[in-house]
Amino acid sequence: MKHILVDERTEQINGLASFFCLMLTQIALVGVIVYKRYFLGLPQEAYTEISWIAGLSMGGYWVIRVYLSGILPVISFRKMLVIYLLLVAFISIPTYFIHGWPAAERWYEVLYPLIGVAVALSFYSLVAYLGKRRLEQMATQ
């Protein structure tokens, strides 16, 4: 396999070009959402796809940046459990004070904070672990 050497300046220029193109695209998408919502007064269904694309683009960008830099700390299971319980309480308690307990036919709504926080923290743990492992592998080569 042939290796092509690229100097740091070229890498930095490519990184900046990619960053600014992505940033301008994301700003444009959010601008379209704001325009459709507040100036045209359209319902959310009129721009749901654009919202998803903008959200996935921004989230994906930050996940890739964090993974490649390996700066997320890998948190122990005990600390992660404490963070999980605090976040679930932080979300659930005000929600139930504002909206009350859901009706019996909508009991599944009680699970939303539990599942949502678990998914978010699991995703965080996965990215942190893979980023750390990537850096360790790079250091041993």
Side-chain angles (χ1 to χ4, degrees):
M1 185 158 139
K2 195 176 197 181
H3 292 301
I4 299 174
L5 296 176
V6 179
D7 65 342
E8 291 90 13
R9 194 177 110 242
T10 304
E11 282 184 10
Q12 184 179 16
I13 291 170
N14 289 337
L16 283 173
S18 299
F19 168 74
F20 283 117
C21 286
L22 180 62
M23 180 185 64
L24 292 174
T25 303
Q26 291 172 347
I27 289 172
L29 286 172
V30 172
V32 168
I33 293 168
V34 169
Y35 176 73
K36 286 187 173 196
R37 168 125 187 193
Y38 296 109
F39 292 100
L40 297 180
L42 296 175
Q44 185 176 359
E45 294 80 29
Y47 51 87
T48 302
E49 302 85 11
I50 299 171
S51 299
W52 273 100
I53 292 169
L56 291 173
S57 175
M58 290 177 201
Y61 171 75
W62 287 109
V63 166
I64 290 169
R65 290 283 303 228
V66 168
Y67 166 74
L68 292 177
S69 68
I71 59 172
L72 287 178
V74 177
I75 301 174
S76 69
F77 181 75
R78 180 175 286 166
K79 287 182 183 177
M80 192 65 75
L81 185 61
V82 170
I83 292 170
Y84 173 77
L85 294 173
L86 288 174
L87 285 174
V88 167
F90 184 74
I91 294 169
S92 299
I93 292 171
T95 301
Y96 297 137
F97 278 137
I98 293 169
H99 298 288
W101 198 257
E105 63 272 1
R106 293 183 4 229
W107 67 271
Y108 56 87
E109 292 177 2
V110 174
L111 300 175
Y112 289 166
L114 300 170
I115 295 170
V117 171
V119 168
L121 289 178
S122 298
F123 190 68
Y124 169 88
S125 296
L126 178 66
V127 171
Y129 171 75
L130 292 175
K132 178 184 172 191
R133 193 177 82 182
R134 178 182 169 276
L135 283 181
E136 288 172 352
Q137 287 176 348
M138 286 175 56
T140 59
Q141 290 179 356

